Amino acid sequence: MKKDYSVDEMKKIMGKDMDIPECVDDGMKRAYEQLGIRTTRRHTRTYKLWTGLAAAAVLTAGLSITAFAVTKYLNVTRSEDGDTLQYQIEVDTKQKEAHQIKVEPTYLPEGYEYQEEGPYGGKWRNEEADSGISILPYNAAELYRMSRVDDSFQKFRKDSRVKTADTEHTKLDLFLMDSEYVDSEKTNKSLYLFNEEEGYGIHIQSTSDLSKEEIEKVAEGLKVTVLDETVPYPSEEIQAEIEKKEWLKEMEAQAGNTISAESVRVVGEEIRNPFHEEGSTEFEDIRFTVKDIKIQDTLPLDQFPKENFVEYEKIAPWINEDTSLKPHERYLFDAGETITADTKAAKEAETVNSKYVVVTMQAENCSDFQTEWNAADGVSIAPDLTAMKTNEDGSLSKTDYTLTSANENYELQWLSNDMASFPIYFDKIYYTEGVQRIKHALFRPLAAGETLEYTLVYVADEDQLDSLYLDIYPGYGNAEEGAAAPYVKVK
């Protein structure tokens, strides 16, 4: 008996693997061709997200629903906790292989061009508007890993979701957040789309003055290709990552994020890496000495030339004519507060003044060899400048607050981990050209036995000066065997 299907019913049916008569399959192909959709069943399929659903309206043949086999193996749910919403991802790895996907936009707003490389490599960038669009595809293997190891999907305020559209196999949400910066009209737009049958997700993100309708048009124009190429589910790798993550948590719990008093060093003391094994030929024995620390109101350019700033063009807007620093805005978050674009936008910013922290240092390669990676890319030459809490016994702990910038283009502080700052100035910059300068400006090769003296300049807020320490070997973590990482107090 013939049955006519409504568009909604056909939306539910579309996309499922089918066992259907050849004449019906030919009709479907013609319908796709009329809509400009290219597709080949089964694994390699190319189609547009919105028009793939629209094709259902063309099909009114008398098909039995029992002819379709449901093959959903990705399950995406939304969990709510108070005013927040977050995705929960489950992947049935035994039901289906993970296939690589290719996502291509057929529509982008005027002025957005794809960047092959550089700091915005892999994104669509509008230089004039200083804005970008990221289109991030996730195959089933990547979603599986994210669900097991990472907290990759941030929490959103429920009232920031301005659109939701679900079918039997797809879930779509568009989130629109107010600007997290006090001096910007740009808003953060995030669009998530999951295809549970094919096992992929797509995230479109843009911090810009584009309307949400423009982001929807980008999504409507996406061309998704499910490729024949499969990707293995990372079972053993995931287990190793989970075990490492659990181990780090255990170490942090044991250490209490505390740096022992013995690890707090003084100006003039030679500092050895406590994690370096004697006799190791994998890494050199790089030692540092902090020779002097000064707090300055100004930074005269005849003594600190512009060419030695890591990115002077980004620093210049925050420097007065006399080279003192202009006030800036920041957010303060107490321990336990969630820090997202949403929560920043809801926060009241405070205006503060800052100063320069000028550090004179020495680095020495005390090994009789130089590794290949040292010769090729150099070694990290600059400590992180970070705020710490000094305990009664002289040990250090992480602060019970976090500071972040409330200004869109403020890049003088807090760009490293745990509220730490990189230097803005290095008078012995080795890598001086292009992207390598941006990415490796604070690295320098050190030959066997070589000693290098140099000056670094950091920026710090006035009310933080008494809490500042130089983290001499950043990146090793604070938890390993009682947190032996050496720090030098700024005073």
Side-chain angles (χ1 to χ4, degrees):
M1 182 174 67
K2 179 176 179 179
K3 176 182 176 181
D4 291 334
Y5 288 87
S6 68
V7 172
D8 286 340
E9 287 176 311
M10 291 307 301
K11 284 181 179 180
K12 292 180 181 179
I13 295 171
M14 281 301 295
K16 296 180 181 178
D17 284 342
M18 302 177 185
D19 183 12
I20 57 178
E22 183 179 352
C23 60
V24 175
D25 189 46
D26 290 339
M28 290 177 65
K29 290 178 181 177
R30 286 195 299 272
Y32 275 111
E33 291 168 357
Q34 291 169 14
L35 291 163
I37 308 163
R38 294 182 291 114
T39 179
T40 58
R41 307 288 294 179
R42 295 185 176 251
H43 284 307
T44 302
R45 292 178 288 278
T46 301
Y47 53 91
K48 290 187 180 179
L49 298 175
W50 260 251
T51 52
L53 294 177
V58 180
L59 304 174
T60 56
L63 305 178
S64 170
I65 292 179
T66 58
F68 297 89
V70 178
T71 58
K72 172 179 172 180
Y73 70 111
L74 167 67
N75 188 36
V76 180
T77 57
R78 306 176 182 95
S79 63
E80 297 183 3
D81 181 11
D83 293 332
T84 62
L85 178 152
Q86 190 173 27
Y87 290 108
Q88 304 295 325
I89 307 292
E90 295 176 283
V91 181
D92 185 352
T93 60
K94 295 180 180 179
Q95 186 180 148
K96 202 173 183 180
E97 293 179 305
H99 283 258
Q100 286 281 27
I101 67 165
K102 181 180 179 181
V103 179
E104 302 168 274
T106 61
Y107 171 82
L108 285 165
E110 185 177 355
Y112 284 81
E113 300 290 340
Y114 185 73
Q115 306 294 303
E116 290 285 352
E117 54 186 23
Y120 303 105
K123 300 180 180 180
W124 285 262
R125 177 81 177 158
N126 185 322
E127 292 293 344
E128 185 176 347
D130 190 24
S131 298
I133 298 174
S134 299
I135 302 175
L136 307 172
Y138 304 110
N139 60 51
E142 291 168 326
L143 291 173
Y144 177 65
R145 182 193 174 280
M146 292 160 70
S147 70
R148 297 290 307 280
V149 180
D150 298 333
D151 299 319
S152 300
F153 297 106
Q154 73 176 71
K155 294 181 179 179
F156 294 93
R157 283 187 297 107
K158 286 189 291 187
D159 60 7
S160 69
R161 184 171 62 177
V162 295
K163 181 170 184 174
T164 184
D166 294 352
T167 68
E168 184 178 359
H169 295 296
T170 62
K171 287 184 169 64
L172 180 145
D173 293 295
L174 175 60
F175 299 92
L176 175 62
M177 286 75 77
D178 293 333
S179 177
E180 60 187 286
Y181 301 115
V182 298
D183 52 359
S184 175
E185 297 299 320
K186 297 175 184 175
T187 57
N188 187 307
K189 277 79 61 177
S190 279
L191 187 146
Y192 285 97
L193 185 138
F194 298 94
N195 186 314
E196 294 176 307
E197 184 193 20
E198 298 290 357
Y200 66 78
I202 299 171
H203 177 203
I204 304 175
Q205 193 278 331
S206 179
T207 300
S208 63
D209 57 4
L210 294 171
S211 67
K212 65 183 183 66
E213 287 78 15
E214 282 290 276
I215 301 302
E216 288 186 66
K217 287 173 69 175
V218 174
E220 290 171 5
L222 290 182
K223 185 173 67 174
V224 181
T225 305
V226 181
L227 303 173
D228 285 326
E229 180 185 354
T230 59
V231 188
Y233 291 106
S235 55
E236 293 181 4
E237 294 88 342
I238 281 183
Q239 188 58 38
E241 288 186 69
I242 291 174
E243 290 175 0
K244 181 180 179 180
K245 197 172 183 179
E246 290 175 349
W247 179 82
L248 287 172
K249 285 182 179 179
E250 183 180 345
M251 289 295 101
E252 287 180 3
Q254 291 177 5
N257 290 325
T258 299
I259 306 299
S260 66
E262 291 74 21
S263 293
V264 181
R265 311 301 178 81
V266 297
V267 172
E269 179 182 358
E270 182 184 72
I271 302 171
R272 301 180 64 175
N273 188 341
F275 309 109
H276 181 267
E277 296 181 7
E278 194 70 33
S280 170
T281 57
E282 184 179 2
F283 302 105
E284 297 95 330
D285 179 11
I286 308 294
R287 305 180 190 180
F288 294 97
T289 304
V290 178
K291 293 197 163 186
D292 187 43
I293 302 176
K294 289 186 174 68
I295 308 297
Q296 298 185 188
D297 291 318
T298 60
L299 206 67
L301 294 178
D302 59 342
Q303 301 175 36
F304 299 87
K306 290 182 180 180
E307 60 266 24
N308 293 334
F309 284 82
V310 178
E311 290 185 273
Y312 185 78
E313 63 278 7
K314 291 187 176 182
I315 309 300
W318 296 99
I319 299 179
N320 292 311
E321 189 173 348
D322 65 352
T323 71
S324 63
L325 291 161
K326 297 177 182 179
H328 67 95
E329 284 76 34
R330 74 182 185 198
Y331 297 121
L332 186 150
F333 286 85
D334 293 327
E337 285 192 273
T338 302
I339 304 175
T340 66
D342 264 0
T343 55
K344 287 181 182 180
K347 205 71 158 163
E348 184 174 348
E350 53 188 8
T351 303
V352 292
N353 294 310
S354 51
K355 292 182 181 294
Y356 299 104
V357 179
V358 182
V359 179
T360 304
M361 292 192 65
Q362 175 183 293
E364 182 179 1
N365 181 356
C366 294
S367 296
D368 58 1
F369 63 90
Q370 182 183 28
T371 56
E372 291 183 7
W373 59 266
N374 177 343
D377 297 319
V379 297
S380 177
I381 211 75
D384 278 359
L385 182 66
T386 186
M388 302 288 285
K389 181 172 66 176
T390 305
N391 303 313
E392 290 183 3
D393 62 358
S395 64
L396 305 179
S397 300
K398 293 181 181 179
T399 61
D400 53 7
Y401 61 87
T402 299
L403 303 174
T404 66
S405 176
N407 297 110
E408 181 182 13
N409 295 313
Y410 185 82
E411 298 187 12
L412 281 68
Q413 298 185 72
W414 312 314
L415 297 179
S416 188
N417 294 323
D418 294 327
M419 204 175 68
S421 299
F422 297 121
I424 63 170
Y425 179 95
F426 173 33
D427 68 344
K428 297 293 192 303
I429 291 179
Y430 184 85
Y431 301 105
T432 60
E433 301 296 330
V435 175
Q436 193 176 34
R437 179 188 177 102
I438 297 172
K439 292 186 175 181
H440 293 86
L442 301 176
F443 285 73
R444 185 183 175 93
L446 276 182
E450 182 180 0
T451 298
L452 180 72
E453 292 192 5
Y454 53 97
T455 298
L456 304 168
V457 179
Y458 301 80
V459 171
D461 291 347
E462 285 183 334
D463 62 353
Q464 299 294 300
L465 293 175
D466 290 338
S467 303
L468 294 179
Y469 289 81
L470 292 167
D471 181 357
I472 303 301
Y473 295 99
Y476 284 94
N478 298 336
E480 189 165 328
E481 296 189 0
Y487 284 71
V488 174
K489 184 169 177 56
V490 172
K491 57 181 178 180

